[in-house]
Amino acid sequence: MSDANRKPLVDAAESETLRTRGNSMHGNRETLETSAPRGAGRSEKANCRTADMHVSRESDGPIVPQKRANKAGPKAAAESVEGRGPTKGNAQRTVLAPDTGPGKRGIGLRGVREAAKRDKKMRFTALLHHITPEMLEDSYFELKRMAAPGVDGVTWHAYGQDLEERIDDLHGRVHCGTYRAQPSKRAWIAKADGRQRPLGIAALEDKIVQYAVKTVLEMIYEEDFLGFSYGFRPGRSCHNALDALWVGITHRKVNWVLDADICGFFDNIDHEWMLKFLEHRIADRRILRLIRKWLKAGVSEDGQWSRTTERLEQFGLQLHPDKTPLLEFGRYAVERREKRGEGKPETFDFLGFTHCCGTTRSGTFTIKRKSIAKRMRAALQKIKLQLKRRMHDAVIEVGGWLRSVVRGWFNYHAIPGNINCLDEFHTQVQRLWRRILRRRSHKGVVWTWERIQRLTRRWLPNPKILHPYPEQRLIVSNPR
């Protein structure tokens, strides 16, 4: 058939049939999967043009088109350089960003963690690309809903409006380098000794980016931390640290306990030294630049901005003189102190509990733990103040609020051996509630003990142990 009678192609893109004249390398040659039965490896097409039409072929790479489309339209321009893959062979793997697909968060970070585990001295030069819009959105949902706003005044619920657009804009600013950290809002909370502790409330966008960076850095430093480190680590809580302490003292030959407390650690830590330690493992300058922005953002108190490094120039790290005792503690402490004519072993406070040397019913050594009395009195004082403010609220509303408060206190303090403190806390809350109800009006005499007990049985949870014994939980969570 002549060229004049040949039908034009429907698509503007060129045909993907390749030239095979001579030794042209413009296209990939296809070979038969199996040799032809006749001829020294020659194709059966040499004898019959239809002999090899159903035989599958293999190719050594994708077939590249030879020319561009005849019409340079938008579609043709997009399709004119697209070739087809081999007819048979291993499919090529497309390397995709591991954190960009829905539900794929953390796949790429697992590779970071595996690399950190293989080489303890490896420095990671590319980490920022793991901070994707999906990770920033997940970080947003990990924040506390009712947390106080920072200097920007934006709450969690307000930021959730048009969340997708806000996250995309934040992601673009982080990767382009135009993201600016805002100063933290200064707040003060009372400490147990009567002093005040300074707190910094970050802006909501700063919290989101900080949480995402923390997620990335955890993949590296979780492989560097030792097993006895519990502070601010994922999957570990205060009760895990309490269990490890209890098992370590009762099952090992421990004779002394050093309770070290650093005075104002977070206020006096040297930022430059902290960055130097980060650079041992982090070589991505964009991640380090983000951390520097947060450290230099400063704090805002009553509209006045101040640097966070002012105290660093005046003070250094030092141990607290009143909170760093060296105690004789353990299974042999009682016997040794009796020989020297001294009294019972001293106690120490750790994570809300007072630890004492004691014995079980069979006479073996154990550690008795009870809630710190000073902390329990402070919690009861806060409940008393809140009850005064809610004096004229409905009983149902006050009962629901007290239930949540008491349940939260029990969830932390209901450890084995602390049932007496739980009973005492429950009884004191019951008395405070009865006193407030009796002061509501001159008819308060109707609130007898029988009536208040019926009320507390309905609203307040009963004291009971909620946590397992330390050695049981420690073995389950740390089988090694």
Side-chain angles (χ1 to χ4, degrees):
M1 185 171 59
S2 63
D3 294 340
N5 297 329
R6 184 175 300 169
K7 293 183 179 180
L9 294 175
V10 177
D11 193 352
E14 68 277 8
S15 172
E16 294 184 347
T17 305
L18 301 180
R19 297 178 295 152
T20 57
R21 292 196 304 265
N23 295 327
S24 173
M25 298 302 293
H26 292 285
N28 296 334
R29 300 182 179 183
E30 293 187 348
T31 58
L32 293 177
E33 181 182 19
T34 57
S35 301
R38 290 178 295 180
R42 297 182 61 194
S43 172
E44 190 67 17
K45 270 189 174 183
N47 302 317
C48 179
R49 64 183 181 89
T50 61
D52 294 338
M53 62 182 300
H54 298 295
V55 179
S56 59
R57 297 171 181 268
E58 61 181 1
S59 176
D60 58 354
I63 298 177
V64 183
Q66 300 304 307
K67 63 179 180 179
R68 292 188 174 273
N70 297 327
K71 297 181 180 180
K75 292 185 179 180
E79 298 177 358
S80 59
V81 294
E82 182 178 356
R84 63 183 176 91
T87 58
K88 185 179 182 300
N90 296 331
Q92 291 186 346
R93 294 189 301 172
T94 303
V95 182
L96 301 176
D99 299 325
T100 55
K104 299 296 184 180
R105 175 177 178 266
I107 294 181
L109 293 180
R110 283 202 297 267
V112 174
R113 185 159 188 167
E114 292 174 359
K117 185 177 182 179
R118 288 194 304 267
D119 189 355
K120 297 296 184 179
K121 296 183 179 181
M122 177 182 292
R123 300 181 71 223
F124 293 85
T125 58
L127 293 174
L128 190 66
H129 69 279
H130 291 289
I131 300 179
T132 61
E134 287 74 18
M135 176 179 285
L136 292 175
E137 185 175 354
D138 292 343
S139 301
Y140 165 78
F141 285 107
E142 291 293 337
L143 301 179
K144 293 183 179 180
R145 270 65 167 169
M146 305 305 296
V151 293
D152 56 351
V154 179
T155 62
W156 187 90
H157 296 282
Y159 196 85
Q161 301 175 1
D162 300 328
L163 179 62
E164 185 175 352
E165 291 77 6
R166 291 175 181 264
I167 291 296
D168 290 339
D169 177 68
L170 178 60
H171 176 263
R173 286 186 281 123
V174 168
H175 283 263
C176 291
T178 58
Y179 163 78
R180 294 293 180 265
Q182 302 185 53
S184 299
K185 182 180 178 180
R186 175 65 77 204
W188 299 87
I189 60 173
K191 299 179 66 174
D193 55 2
R195 298 182 299 169
Q196 288 187 323
R197 183 192 304 274
L199 292 181
I201 304 175
L204 190 68
E205 282 195 341
D206 293 339
K207 291 181 181 179
I208 295 174
V209 182
Q210 288 171 6
Y211 195 95
V213 173
K214 178 190 74 74
T215 303
V216 175
L217 296 184
E218 277 179 351
M219 298 298 106
I220 300 173
Y221 289 103
E222 276 299 306
E223 298 299 331
D224 295 343
F225 288 144
L226 299 179
F228 55 77
S229 176
Y230 289 88
F232 301 99
R233 295 184 60 184
R236 298 197 175 201
S237 64
C238 296
H239 287 96
N240 298 128
L242 289 167
D243 295 342
L245 177 66
W246 192 94
V247 172
I249 295 178
T250 56
H251 291 69
R252 302 290 182 180
K253 295 181 179 180
V254 176
N255 298 320
W256 298 90
V257 171
L258 175 63
D259 186 6
D261 184 272
I262 299 178
C263 232
F265 176 78
F266 292 103
D267 298 329
N268 302 324
I269 187 173
D270 193 327
H271 293 172
E272 294 301 325
W273 273 108
M274 183 173 64
L275 289 171
K276 288 181 180 180
F277 277 100
L278 284 174
E279 290 174 356
H280 285 293
R281 294 286 266 168
I282 311 300
D284 192 337
R285 296 182 178 179
R286 300 170 297 175
I287 293 292
L288 296 174
R289 189 181 301 117
L290 281 175
I291 298 175
R292 285 193 180 93
K293 288 181 179 180
W294 295 323
L295 294 177
K296 295 180 179 180
V299 295
S300 177
E301 184 175 4
D302 298 331
Q304 299 293 327
W305 180 86
S306 61
R307 296 173 57 223
T308 55
T309 57
E310 289 180 355
R311 295 188 61 186
L312 305 180
E313 300 172 357
Q314 304 174 10
F315 303 96
L317 296 180
Q318 59 181 355
L319 296 176
H320 197 289
D322 300 328
K323 298 181 179 179
T324 311
L326 179 63
L327 309 174
E328 189 175 12
F329 202 87
R331 62 176 63 250
Y332 305 111
V334 176
E335 180 182 354
R336 292 176 179 177
R337 292 178 69 89
E338 287 180 354
K339 291 181 179 180
R340 297 195 301 265
E342 299 177 355
K344 296 180 179 180
E346 297 180 86
T347 63
F348 66 93
D349 297 336
F350 182 64
L351 296 180
F353 295 95
T354 300
H355 293 66
C356 316
C357 292
T359 56
T360 62
R361 295 179 180 179
S362 60
T364 57
F365 170 77
T366 188
I367 299 177
K368 294 185 177 181
R369 302 176 295 177
K370 60 181 182 179
S371 301
I372 300 176
K374 182 169 56 178
R375 300 279 183 87
M376 188 169 68
R377 288 194 298 267
L380 292 171
Q381 184 65 22
K382 292 181 180 179
I383 294 176
K384 180 180 179 180
L385 295 177
Q386 285 293 329
L387 285 175
K388 286 183 179 180
R389 298 173 183 175
R390 301 169 181 262
M391 178 185 298
H392 299 288
D393 293 349
V395 175
I396 296 178
E397 296 179 3
V398 179
W401 172 75
L402 277 178
R403 174 189 293 171
S404 62
V405 172
V406 176
R407 180 183 290 120
W409 200 86
F410 282 177
N411 286 341
Y412 185 82
H413 291 267
I415 62 174
N418 198 34
I419 190 64
N420 293 335
C421 291
L422 301 181
D423 290 333
E424 181 65 18
F425 188 83
H426 184 274
T427 302
Q428 292 299 327
V429 171
Q430 186 179 12
R431 288 179 178 177
L432 292 174
W433 197 10
R434 177 175 178 266
R435 185 180 302 173
I436 292 297
L437 290 174
R438 289 171 63 90
R439 293 179 60 185
R440 294 179 64 172
S441 68
H442 64 282
K443 297 182 180 180
V445 292
V446 299
W447 290 101
T448 60
W449 272 110
E450 290 75 13
R451 185 174 181 182
I452 197 65
Q453 286 177 356
R454 291 197 302 268
L455 194 65
T456 54
R457 280 196 297 268
R458 176 184 178 185
W459 292 106
L460 301 185
N462 294 323
K464 62 180 180 180
I465 301 300
L466 302 177
H467 294 273
Y469 283 93
E471 63 269 22
Q472 297 176 353
R473 180 163 50 190
L474 187 68
I475 293 175
V476 172
S477 58
N478 299 278
R480 291 179 298 178

